[in-house]
Amino acid sequence: MKPRRGFQIDGKFRKTESGLKSASQAEQEHQDFKKRVLGNFRKRPPEVQNDHEGLLKQIDLVSGSEELRAQAGLLLGNADEALGQLDSKRQHGYGKFGKNTQTFAKTFADFVKVYGGFVDVVRQSGGPYAEIAYGTLSLFFMSENDEKFASTLQELRNSFPRIQLAENIYSDISVKEKVSKVYSQVINFGREATDYFLARSTVRILKAIVEPAPLAVNKAIEELHHCLAEVNAEIGILLHQRVLDINTQNKNLTAQLEKISTQNKGLAAQVEGLRAQSTKREEDEAREKLKEDVESLAHFRQILGETPGKYKDPVLLVKTLESIFPEAMGAMGAMGAFGIHQGWSNSYCQMTSQFLRLNTAYQSWMGCSSSSLLVFAGSTAEEGRASQSSLCWLSPAALHVFNLSSSEGKNVAFHSCHPDYRDTECSSQLIVSSLISQLLDGKPERLRHKVKDFEIAAKSDAWKSKDRRVAMECQFNMLRAVLDLFSPNEEMFFVLDRLDLCDTSKRQFLEALQGLTRRTENKLKILVIMGRIRNEYDRDACCDFLSSGAEYHSFGDMNWNQARKSY
């Protein structure tokens, strides 16, 4: 059966343009050629090399480079570096080798390296094709090292494409077909050139006179140039096609990216819309909850019993006191002093802010880092007032403290039992309800989770019990629970003016206030102003309370009576 011409790619037999001979035929022709060449050596010929590395070693031995001989195994992977070393050493070879021989050897090695890529492609078809190629070149090199072929080999080398790179990029069958054709043409060229060298020297000289090389060699060279040009052209076409394909892919990817970008913008707009809806819904829910909290606070205040506004209004007390103690009220500053009565002055001390700051009990109370209680009580001289009234000369101190703590942004609850000229009593329920209401003003949301409990407590019998001790205990329990709604780091002030007018025991009330400073986690400062306590027993009890309260951060003076000025 006649063998098919071609080689295998991916397990399939492909017929090629050049028509590789069958493995058996190619092997037989090679053995015949090898036998003919080796028969011309009178002495024992060198060993024929049948692989890429062996052939380069053979060439290296002829070039005479001692250093590169030790690195022969690196020539294939590091060809450019090795060739550079070879070129620098070619003037230092063994004495029996001339410069022409070294030049030819170097050029031949360069040619073998570029041709190796073509052999590797053909090697994929299986069979002895690689051994045949390298064996042919080995025999060609052994036959004679003639520099006249060096330029030819150099031209061929420069015409070779980087076939390994092309093979890695392209799998087109037309490239492989042309590669196999170049493979065959190099073998043909090698055999023709070898036959030329093996001819008798006289014949070769006569032929050289007529023409530089035999016709068969020139024809082989011409055909090889033609094949290399076809390979380069084919690779150029495929490269151009690949560039077009890449450009098309880039355009498609760009279009996809633009589409995705448009989709992303649409999604972003949807997300922004959803975010706006969510924000609006949260704001609506917050407004609705705030409305419910305000309504709950208003209902809770009704249950507590609304405190008349005059008791919680420090401005009203300012207006009341300015006509009685104009000198003291002239230092109110930010509270809005209404001016000192023109031409009025007396010989009694007045409670100005400066006079208050000089008091050691006040200094200790303000400097205390924890919750504390400050109590001032005393009588007022009739001549110490600008006009007749029952107002106390210590009351301006309550306004000074309110003014200072408010300017510092503290939470302040203010209650005066004597805000105008009338002298009336206040119940403990009214005072506590006033403090609770002011604590929750502007912060109704704090009551949200406790309002039901507070309403139940305010409706209980204990809240309005006729037993004042029972009622006051219930009231202060609620006040403590309201304080617990605030964070521990919030500082608060209670300012109570004229507690001496409270209808319950002053000692019991002070003890309840002191209990707040001891049990709350907040920093709570309480100022209590009292006039002269009319009940002598109650007055003595309050004095005893204050003298024993230092360990609980209770400060003050129960006998700070208005005295004459000392000049």
PDB file of all heavy atoms in Angstrom, residues 26 39 93 166 228 238 241 244 263 272-273 293 310 394 421 443 473 484 523:
ATOM      1  N   ALA A  26      11.306   8.150   4.801  1.00  0.00           N
ATOM      2  CA  ALA A  26      12.224   9.198   5.236  1.00  0.00           C
ATOM      3  C   ALA A  26      13.421   8.602   5.966  1.00  0.00           C
ATOM      4  O   ALA A  26      14.571   9.018   5.765  1.00  0.00           O
ATOM      5  CB  ALA A  26      11.489  10.187   6.147  1.00  0.00           C
ATOM      6  N   GLY A  39      31.051   7.210   4.433  1.00  0.00           N
ATOM      7  CA  GLY A  39      31.981   6.428   3.616  1.00  0.00           C
ATOM      8  C   GLY A  39      33.101   7.270   3.031  1.00  0.00           C
ATOM      9  O   GLY A  39      34.107   6.732   2.556  1.00  0.00           O
ATOM     10  N   GLY A  93      40.215  29.999  20.233  1.00  0.00           N
ATOM     11  CA  GLY A  93      40.038  28.547  20.106  1.00  0.00           C
ATOM     12  C   GLY A  93      41.376  27.834  20.018  1.00  0.00           C
ATOM     13  O   GLY A  93      42.456  28.436  20.087  1.00  0.00           O
ATOM     14  N   ALA A 166       4.936  31.734  17.223  1.00  0.00           N
ATOM     15  CA  ALA A 166       3.779  31.626  16.337  1.00  0.00           C
ATOM     16  C   ALA A 166       2.969  30.378  16.628  1.00  0.00           C
ATOM     17  O   ALA A 166       1.739  30.395  16.619  1.00  0.00           O
ATOM     18  CB  ALA A 166       4.243  31.638  14.876  1.00  0.00           C
ATOM     19  N   LEU A 228      10.188  30.045   3.373  1.00  0.00           N
ATOM     20  CA  LEU A 228      10.221  30.915   4.555  1.00  0.00           C
ATOM     21  C   LEU A 228       9.377  32.168   4.341  1.00  0.00           C
ATOM     22  O   LEU A 228       8.717  32.657   5.268  1.00  0.00           O
ATOM     23  CB  LEU A 228      11.663  31.301   4.875  1.00  0.00           C
ATOM     24  CG  LEU A 228      12.540  30.182   5.452  1.00  0.00           C
ATOM     25  CD1 LEU A 228      13.991  30.634   5.544  1.00  0.00           C
ATOM     26  CD2 LEU A 228      12.029  29.754   6.828  1.00  0.00           C
ATOM     27  N   LEU A 238      -2.225  35.861   9.668  1.00  0.00           N
ATOM     28  CA  LEU A 238      -2.906  35.396  10.878  1.00  0.00           C
ATOM     29  C   LEU A 238      -2.777  36.410  12.027  1.00  0.00           C
ATOM     30  O   LEU A 238      -3.693  36.597  12.819  1.00  0.00           O
ATOM     31  CB  LEU A 238      -2.327  34.041  11.315  1.00  0.00           C
ATOM     32  CG  LEU A 238      -2.635  32.865  10.383  1.00  0.00           C
ATOM     33  CD1 LEU A 238      -1.919  31.619  10.855  1.00  0.00           C
ATOM     34  CD2 LEU A 238      -4.145  32.620  10.300  1.00  0.00           C
ATOM     35  N   GLN A 241      -5.168  39.041  11.329  1.00  0.00           N
ATOM     36  CA  GLN A 241      -6.512  38.556  11.645  1.00  0.00           C
ATOM     37  C   GLN A 241      -6.729  38.524  13.164  1.00  0.00           C
ATOM     38  O   GLN A 241      -7.811  38.870  13.667  1.00  0.00           O
ATOM     39  CB  GLN A 241      -6.715  37.149  11.064  1.00  0.00           C
ATOM     40  CG  GLN A 241      -8.127  36.596  11.269  1.00  0.00           C
ATOM     41  CD  GLN A 241      -9.173  37.457  10.591  1.00  0.00           C
ATOM     42  OE1 GLN A 241      -9.022  37.858   9.436  1.00  0.00           O
ATOM     43  NE2 GLN A 241     -10.238  37.771  11.316  1.00  0.00           N
ATOM     44  N   LEU A 244      -7.421  41.949  14.309  1.00  0.00           N
ATOM     45  CA  LEU A 244      -8.817  42.309  14.002  1.00  0.00           C
ATOM     46  C   LEU A 244      -9.774  41.634  14.981  1.00  0.00           C
ATOM     47  O   LEU A 244     -10.743  42.249  15.450  1.00  0.00           O
ATOM     48  CB  LEU A 244      -9.154  41.906  12.564  1.00  0.00           C
ATOM     49  CG  LEU A 244      -8.448  42.693  11.450  1.00  0.00           C
ATOM     50  CD1 LEU A 244      -8.857  42.137  10.078  1.00  0.00           C
ATOM     51  CD2 LEU A 244      -8.801  44.170  11.531  1.00  0.00           C
ATOM     52  N   GLN A 263     -26.929  49.824  32.948  1.00  0.00           N
ATOM     53  CA  GLN A 263     -27.730  49.069  33.910  1.00  0.00           C
ATOM     54  C   GLN A 263     -27.391  49.470  35.343  1.00  0.00           C
ATOM     55  O   GLN A 263     -28.292  49.604  36.188  1.00  0.00           O
ATOM     56  CB  GLN A 263     -27.488  47.574  33.710  1.00  0.00           C
ATOM     57  CG  GLN A 263     -28.016  47.032  32.381  1.00  0.00           C
ATOM     58  CD  GLN A 263     -27.650  45.572  32.171  1.00  0.00           C
ATOM     59  OE1 GLN A 263     -26.853  45.001  32.903  1.00  0.00           O
ATOM     60  NE2 GLN A 263     -28.240  44.972  31.146  1.00  0.00           N
ATOM     61  N   GLU A 272     -31.168  54.671  44.906  1.00  0.00           N
ATOM     62  CA  GLU A 272     -31.317  56.004  45.477  1.00  0.00           C
ATOM     63  C   GLU A 272     -32.791  56.312  45.743  1.00  0.00           C
ATOM     64  O   GLU A 272     -33.137  56.912  46.764  1.00  0.00           O
ATOM     65  CB  GLU A 272     -30.721  57.043  44.514  1.00  0.00           C
ATOM     66  CG  GLU A 272     -30.638  58.446  45.082  1.00  0.00           C
ATOM     67  CD  GLU A 272     -29.747  58.523  46.306  1.00  0.00           C
ATOM     68  OE1 GLU A 272     -28.798  57.737  46.397  1.00  0.00           O
ATOM     69  OE2 GLU A 272     -30.017  59.382  47.173  1.00  0.00           O
ATOM     70  N   GLY A 273     -33.635  55.871  44.810  1.00  0.00           N
ATOM     71  CA  GLY A 273     -35.064  56.062  45.020  1.00  0.00           C
ATOM     72  C   GLY A 273     -35.567  55.296  46.234  1.00  0.00           C
ATOM     73  O   GLY A 273     -36.351  55.817  47.048  1.00  0.00           O
ATOM     74  N   ASP A 293     -45.619  60.537  71.380  1.00  0.00           N
ATOM     75  CA  ASP A 293     -44.923  60.816  72.637  1.00  0.00           C
ATOM     76  C   ASP A 293     -45.415  62.117  73.255  1.00  0.00           C
ATOM     77  O   ASP A 293     -45.597  62.205  74.492  1.00  0.00           O
ATOM     78  CB  ASP A 293     -43.407  60.899  72.392  1.00  0.00           C
ATOM     79  CG  ASP A 293     -42.810  59.562  71.998  1.00  0.00           C
ATOM     80  OD1 ASP A 293     -43.406  58.523  72.335  1.00  0.00           O
ATOM     81  OD2 ASP A 293     -41.743  59.556  71.344  1.00  0.00           O
ATOM     82  N   LYS A 310     -46.370  79.784  86.811  1.00  0.00           N
ATOM     83  CA  LYS A 310     -45.612  80.781  87.568  1.00  0.00           C
ATOM     84  C   LYS A 310     -44.559  80.134  88.475  1.00  0.00           C
ATOM     85  O   LYS A 310     -43.527  80.738  88.758  1.00  0.00           O
ATOM     86  CB  LYS A 310     -46.556  81.647  88.397  1.00  0.00           C
ATOM     87  CG  LYS A 310     -47.297  80.896  89.494  1.00  0.00           C
ATOM     88  CD  LYS A 310     -48.172  81.844  90.294  1.00  0.00           C
ATOM     89  CE  LYS A 310     -48.855  81.121  91.465  1.00  0.00           C
ATOM     90  NZ  LYS A 310     -49.670  82.060  92.275  1.00  0.00           N
ATOM     91  N   LEU A 394     -32.011  85.455 100.209  1.00  0.00           N
ATOM     92  CA  LEU A 394     -31.231  84.364  99.624  1.00  0.00           C
ATOM     93  C   LEU A 394     -31.762  83.919  98.258  1.00  0.00           C
ATOM     94  O   LEU A 394     -31.060  83.216  97.521  1.00  0.00           O
ATOM     95  CB  LEU A 394     -31.237  83.160 100.571  1.00  0.00           C
ATOM     96  CG  LEU A 394     -30.525  83.343 101.916  1.00  0.00           C
ATOM     97  CD1 LEU A 394     -30.819  82.144 102.830  1.00  0.00           C
ATOM     98  CD2 LEU A 394     -29.027  83.482 101.720  1.00  0.00           C
ATOM     99  N   TYR A 421     -45.515  88.188  94.978  1.00  0.00           N
ATOM    100  CA  TYR A 421     -45.541  88.849  96.280  1.00  0.00           C
ATOM    101  C   TYR A 421     -46.386  88.106  97.303  1.00  0.00           C
ATOM    102  O   TYR A 421     -46.283  88.366  98.492  1.00  0.00           O
ATOM    103  CB  TYR A 421     -46.064  90.292  96.120  1.00  0.00           C
ATOM    104  CG  TYR A 421     -45.165  91.131  95.228  1.00  0.00           C
ATOM    105  CD1 TYR A 421     -45.518  91.423  93.923  1.00  0.00           C
ATOM    106  CD2 TYR A 421     -43.949  91.628  95.716  1.00  0.00           C
ATOM    107  CE1 TYR A 421     -44.691  92.185  93.097  1.00  0.00           C
ATOM    108  CE2 TYR A 421     -43.122  92.387  94.902  1.00  0.00           C
ATOM    109  CZ  TYR A 421     -43.491  92.661  93.595  1.00  0.00           C
ATOM    110  OH  TYR A 421     -42.668  93.413  92.812  1.00  0.00           O
ATOM    111  N   LYS A 443     -38.122  66.331  75.667  1.00  0.00           N
ATOM    112  CA  LYS A 443     -37.623  64.950  75.514  1.00  0.00           C
ATOM    113  C   LYS A 443     -38.740  63.962  75.811  1.00  0.00           C
ATOM    114  O   LYS A 443     -38.581  63.041  76.632  1.00  0.00           O
ATOM    115  CB  LYS A 443     -36.444  64.706  76.451  1.00  0.00           C
ATOM    116  CG  LYS A 443     -35.286  65.671  76.252  1.00  0.00           C
ATOM    117  CD  LYS A 443     -34.203  65.423  77.273  1.00  0.00           C
ATOM    118  CE  LYS A 443     -33.070  66.428  77.119  1.00  0.00           C
ATOM    119  NZ  LYS A 443     -33.501  67.808  77.455  1.00  0.00           N
ATOM    120  N   GLU A 473     -42.998  59.428  99.662  1.00  0.00           N
ATOM    121  CA  GLU A 473     -42.202  58.273  99.243  1.00  0.00           C
ATOM    122  C   GLU A 473     -42.589  57.825  97.835  1.00  0.00           C
ATOM    123  O   GLU A 473     -41.716  57.542  96.996  1.00  0.00           O
ATOM    124  CB  GLU A 473     -42.398  57.126 100.233  1.00  0.00           C
ATOM    125  CG  GLU A 473     -41.575  55.901  99.875  1.00  0.00           C
ATOM    126  CD  GLU A 473     -41.770  54.774 100.867  1.00  0.00           C
ATOM    127  OE1 GLU A 473     -42.535  54.954 101.831  1.00  0.00           O
ATOM    128  OE2 GLU A 473     -41.167  53.697 100.662  1.00  0.00           O
ATOM    129  N   ASP A 484     -33.661  57.966  86.050  1.00  0.00           N
ATOM    130  CA  ASP A 484     -33.028  56.781  85.462  1.00  0.00           C
ATOM    131  C   ASP A 484     -33.192  56.720  83.944  1.00  0.00           C
ATOM    132  O   ASP A 484     -32.490  55.947  83.268  1.00  0.00           O
ATOM    133  CB  ASP A 484     -33.602  55.512  86.098  1.00  0.00           C
ATOM    134  CG  ASP A 484     -33.166  55.346  87.547  1.00  0.00           C
ATOM    135  OD1 ASP A 484     -32.166  55.974  87.931  1.00  0.00           O
ATOM    136  OD2 ASP A 484     -33.848  54.604  88.284  1.00  0.00           O
ATOM    137  N   LYS A 523     -25.242  62.511  87.648  1.00  0.00           N
ATOM    138  CA  LYS A 523     -24.613  63.539  88.465  1.00  0.00           C
ATOM    139  C   LYS A 523     -25.660  64.620  88.700  1.00  0.00           C
ATOM    140  O   LYS A 523     -25.935  65.445  87.831  1.00  0.00           O
ATOM    141  CB  LYS A 523     -23.380  64.113  87.766  1.00  0.00           C
ATOM    142  CG  LYS A 523     -22.621  65.123  88.628  1.00  0.00           C
ATOM    143  CD  LYS A 523     -21.364  65.620  87.923  1.00  0.00           C
ATOM    144  CE  LYS A 523     -20.621  66.613  88.802  1.00  0.00           C
ATOM    145  NZ  LYS A 523     -19.405  67.139  88.136  1.00  0.00           N
TER     146      LYS A 523
END
